[in-house]
Amino acid sequence: MSVVDNPGASRYEVFVEGEAGEVGGFVDYLVEGSRIVFTHTEVVVEGRGLGSELVRFALIDARDRGLGVVAQCPFVKAYLEKHPELGVVEV
């Protein structure tokens, strides 16, 4: 599996290896100044932990870019509550 930021589509995407580069899920976002708003997460291929890996990557990338996080998406919000060790500040 691999996760990438696709800024042209304003989303992070997770790809399933061995399935011809199939997008296994994505998390949509909007960048508003010094914060990133996660609006929607969708996992197409379930049961492989893709959603968790996807959101973890996105949150770490946001932190590394110095962006505050607004979790409008329930999946992202739940992940943040379970993983405070990421040190991401919800704005």
Side-chain angles (χ1 to χ4, degrees):
M1 123 180 40
S2 61
V3 182
V4 298
D5 181 10
N6 182 347
S10 296
R11 69 187 198 174
Y12 289 90
E13 300 170 335
V14 62
F15 291 89
V16 180
E17 303 208 6
E19 297 191 24
E22 176 187 347
V23 175
F26 58 88
V27 59
D28 291 324
Y29 65 82
L30 302 168
V31 175
E32 298 176 341
S34 63
R35 64 188 196 158
I36 187 167
V37 181
F38 291 106
T39 58
H40 176 73
T41 302
E42 188 167 323
V43 178
V44 180
V45 180
E46 295 186 19
R48 297 188 189 180
L50 297 180
S52 293
E53 280 300 314
L54 171 64
V55 170
R56 179 176 176 75
F57 181 94
L59 291 171
I60 289 171
D61 189 54
R63 180 186 63 195
D64 291 350
R65 293 170 52 194
L67 297 172
V69 171
V70 177
Q72 289 181 352
C73 169
F75 188 89
V76 175
K77 186 171 186 153
Y79 190 89
L80 275 171
E81 290 170 359
K82 291 179 185 175
H83 299 279
E85 74 277 4
L86 289 176
V88 177
V89 177
E90 190 171 352
V91 180

